[in-house]
Amino acid sequence: MGVRKNQANLTAQEKRAFVNAVLALKANGGYDPFVTTHNQFIISDVDNGERTGHRSPSFLPWHRQYLLEFERALQAVDPSVNLPYWDWTADRTATAGIWGADFMGGNGRSSDGQVTTGPFAFSGGNWRLNVNTDSRTYLRRQLGTGVAQLPSRTDTESVLAITTYDAAPWNSSSAGFRNNLEGWRGVNLHNRVHVWVGGQMATGMSPNDPVFWLHHCFVDKLWSEWQKRNPGKTYLPTAGTPDVIDLNDRMKPWNTVTPADLLDHSGTYTYDTGF
Amino acid sequence: MSEDTHATELTRRRMLQGAAAALTVATGTVVIGLAGPGGGAATAADPGASDSFDEVFQGRRIQGRPADVGSHHHGGAAGTGYEVRIDGDELHMMRNADGTWISVVNHYQTFATPRALARAAVNDLQGATLVPVVTA
Ligand SMILES: [Cu+2]
Ligand SMILES: [Cu+2]
């Protein structure tokens, strides 16, 4: 069973294995469909209509399953690889180790936002964006430009303290843990991190930047932490909600898993530490 | 047409557009609101029919107008009710429950008005052209 570790604690060899598996998936054509799927959901999930991947209770189980699919695709390349997570409350500057040339590569240059260091720099020839919002095919980042600060530990603790999973109307205006973690209201955790990274991470095609997986792995870990702290609380809503995935509804695009199936990940993977 | 002639032609077109836009700005409602996460929530203005805009912003023509929801062709982005174009290309956008807006270019950041959203997209694009959103 896989152990998902903090990226800050990966060995040089673990970093290399992760990067190489991602590059191999990109090269064999298996990566870009993940980008397409994400964008399809992000543009079709709407507050007043059907919503599954985002701005809805299933934001968390949907991304849990999406990450599992991606992790399995990496493991098909290299069975030793597990998704690492980025604790952005701790590694919170543009010079943090995650942005090293041996891992995610650095910030974009000021002229055009192009990432010029690390394995995903366009000049390396291994990372061309094929599913994109615009004509630029190189990876871009503008760390700390769209918003100055990543969420703090205090911000994150305040969201973990919300004891209700989600609330009507089950969208971007909801109170509850899910929407505060997603970031449409309150101190803003998940959304803010996308904006802080900038470049493709700020777009609907955000999985074009491999840091997407590390960000969402940490969001998944925070859900896991919330569950641990709120043992009596469960996923809501439980039944009969139009346009929204109830506890036992199957989720597109897989149509095989329900939120209920995904609540307990301990049989599939664990996290190295608590938050 | 040579590269040079083409460039001149583009510049001339943009100047004409600029003149038209200046008129629009003078008569239209200008509501600019930008909200960053952590920078407070955007307060949405309700765009009625009068809130169409057509201007040149940083050399790009941005246009916005209320749209027939039913005619929206990007699979399922129901309820948008508004259309924004940059140099004629549609910018995919969406309205949030609180009335704020997001676009495919800034999908995790809310804007108070379509015009603010269009300008933010121009800033992000740095001259790049939008490609149609593929919803295979
Ligand atoms: Cu997502
Ligand atoms: Cu995300």
Side-chain angles (χ1 to χ4, degrees):
Chain A
M1 186 174 51
V3 179
R4 294 182 177 178
K5 297 182 191 170
N6 187 326
Q7 60 78 29
N9 298 328
L10 295 185
T11 64
Q13 200 205 320
E14 285 169 329
K15 284 187 181 183
R16 209 159 37 234
F18 178 75
V19 164
N20 286 342
V22 170
L23 292 176
L25 194 62
K26 178 79 171 172
N28 74 19
Y31 193 95
D32 290 345
F34 281 96
V35 184
T36 304
T37 296
H38 188 267
N39 188 55
Q40 280 171 352
F41 276 81
I42 218 167
I43 67 175
S44 64
D45 295 324
V46 289
D47 277 337
N48 57 355
E50 190 177 319
R51 48 198 184 276
T52 302
H54 306 88
R55 56 180 66 235
S56 58
S58 45
F59 168 70
L60 291 169
W62 189 90
H63 283 81
R64 179 165 282 177
Q65 180 64 21
Y66 180 66
L67 260 60
L68 273 169
E69 303 275 339
F70 182 73
E71 191 172 48
R72 285 174 189 142
L74 294 181
Q75 288 167 350
V77 173
D78 179 349
S80 79
V81 168
N82 296 287
L83 287 184
Y85 62 87
W86 168 30
D87 178 351
W88 23 253
T89 70
D91 294 284
R92 44 190 299 106
T93 67
T95 51
I98 186 172
W99 308 114
D102 61 339
F103 201 40
M104 292 292 113
N107 198 358
R109 64 186 177 195
S110 59
S111 58
D112 60 1
Q114 186 171 161
V115 170
T116 58
T117 57
F120 308 105
F122 186 77
S123 58
N126 296 317
W127 204 257
R128 181 186 196 280
L129 307 189
N130 304 304
V131 183
N132 211 351
T133 54
D134 59 75
S135 49
R136 292 165 292 181
T137 53
Y138 50 86
L139 180 64
R140 290 178 293 116
R141 290 183 189 132
Q142 289 186 294
L143 306 182
T145 300
V147 60
Q149 299 291 334
L150 286 164
S152 66
R153 175 120 198 153
T154 309
D155 292 337
T156 308
E157 286 289 353
S158 75
V159 172
L160 286 169
I162 301 170
T163 54
T164 306
Y165 177 77
D166 207 343
W170 319 107
N171 62 17
S172 75
S173 67
S174 289
F177 169 70
R178 185 276 310 169
N179 197 34
N180 278 270
L181 173 56
E182 190 170 359
W184 298 112
R185 75 145 62 187
V187 295
N188 187 354
L189 302 183
H190 154 270
N191 282 353
R192 196 201 318 186
V193 175
H194 278 277
V195 175
W196 187 88
V197 175
Q200 283 87 12
M201 264 292 271
T203 75
M205 285 81 156
S206 45
N208 270 316
D209 190 330
V211 85
F212 173 94
W213 308 104
L214 283 72
H215 170 34
H216 269 276
C217 192
F218 187 58
V219 171
D220 185 78
K221 181 175 193 281
L222 291 175
W223 182 26
S224 185
E225 180 72 19
W226 181 87
Q227 290 175 303
K228 211 184 319 170
R229 294 185 188 189
N230 294 275
K233 303 288 183 156
T234 190
Y235 180 94
L236 295 170
T238 51
T241 320
D243 292 328
V244 169
I245 300 291
D246 293 313
L247 180 63
N248 294 301
D249 289 347
R250 292 179 183 194
M251 291 186 292
K252 292 176 185 174
W254 312 287
N255 296 315
T256 52
V257 288
T258 67
D261 297 332
L262 290 161
L263 298 180
D264 179 8
H265 60 77
S266 64
T268 316
Y269 62 88
T270 57
Y271 285 106
D272 57 350
T273 65
F275 177 62
Chain B
M1 201 190 309
S2 81
E3 212 50 53
D4 278 342
T5 321
H6 186 64
T8 312
E9 187 55 30
L10 267 179
T11 311
R12 204 181 66 85
R13 253 175 55 211
R14 290 212 164 123
M15 279 171 66
L16 287 172
Q17 286 165 2
L23 283 172
T24 312
V25 170
T27 54
T29 343
V30 185
V31 194
I32 303 167
L34 236 173
T43 324
D46 210 34
S50 62
D51 289 308
S52 296
F53 62 89
D54 189 340
E55 69 179 41
V56 173
F57 179 73
Q58 294 183 6
R60 309 290 295 269
R61 184 177 189 185
I62 56 174
Q63 298 163 283
R65 59 178 184 125
D68 177 8
V69 176
S71 77
H72 204 273
H73 51 268
H74 282 323
T80 301
Y82 205 89
E83 181 184 274
V84 164
R85 293 184 179 273
I86 298 179
D87 290 340
D89 298 323
E90 187 176 353
L91 175 67
H92 194 277
M93 61 188 290
M94 183 184 291
R95 193 156 205 205
N96 297 315
D98 67 357
T100 59
W101 303 84
I102 56 173
S103 81
V104 74
V105 174
N106 295 99
H107 218 287
Y108 304 91
Q109 186 175 10
T110 59
F111 298 91
T113 66
R115 190 198 298 258
L117 166 145
R119 289 179 171 178
V122 166
N123 278 325
D124 180 80
L125 286 168
Q126 293 189 292
T129 52
L130 287 169
V131 298
V133 170
V134 181
T135 54

